[in-house]
Amino acid sequence: MNSMILRTATRLLFPLLLIFSVFLFFRGHNEPGGGFIGGLVGAAAFVLFAIAFGTEVTRKLLRMDPRVMVGWGLFLALVSGIMSMIAGDAFFTGQWALPVVFGNELHVGTPLIFDIGVYLVVVGFTLAVIFALEEED
């Protein structure tokens, strides 16, 4: 689509959507949301970019094949489950480390790794489908 209004709006909205995607990802880490909804918003940012500037330019911006992104996401989700088994618990049981940073205790654990995996799978799968449909024409 060759629209100057769409391209200008996309230049403004693209970074905002990515920041909102990261916000949703971290907000949902301990509350509803997380990797799935953050991934959908992140994918929407790239889809908007693809509509405004084309699929080829968006692929260059992404710098990674969406199918590879899906593979890494599945790998991270699997690793988060295996880490629980290594610790002697059931598959996907949360394992936590509580490092103290600047006097505050951070809750870092395998659910964060799983959420990163879900995020990558959602973004990668959505973009793979959208790019395939766009390039079919």
Side-chain angles (χ1 to χ4, degrees), residues 24 26 36 47 56 59 65 85 88 112 121-122 134-135:
L24 288 173
F26 282 112
F36 187 81
V47 169
E56 196 167 311
R59 282 186 183 272
D65 186 1
M85 292 175 67
L112 180 62
V121 167
V122 169
E134 182 71 21
E135 292 168 346

Side-chain angles (χ1 to χ4, degrees), residues 90-126:
F91 194 64
F92 283 132
T93 301
Q95 303 297 316
W96 296 94
L98 304 172
V100 178
V101 179
F102 301 115
N104 296 319
E105 192 173 73
L106 293 178
H107 295 264
V108 180
T110 55
L112 180 62
I113 297 171
F114 180 77
D115 273 347
I116 292 170
V118 170
Y119 184 94
L120 290 175
V121 167
V122 169
V123 170
F125 179 78
T126 305

Side-chain angles (χ1 to χ4, degrees), residues 14-37:
F14 182 72
L16 292 176
L17 284 170
L18 289 180
I19 291 169
F20 188 58
S21 170
V22 172
F23 168 76
L24 288 173
F25 173 80
F26 282 112
R27 183 203 172 270
H29 178 58
N30 291 323
E31 297 178 23
F36 187 81
I37 191 70

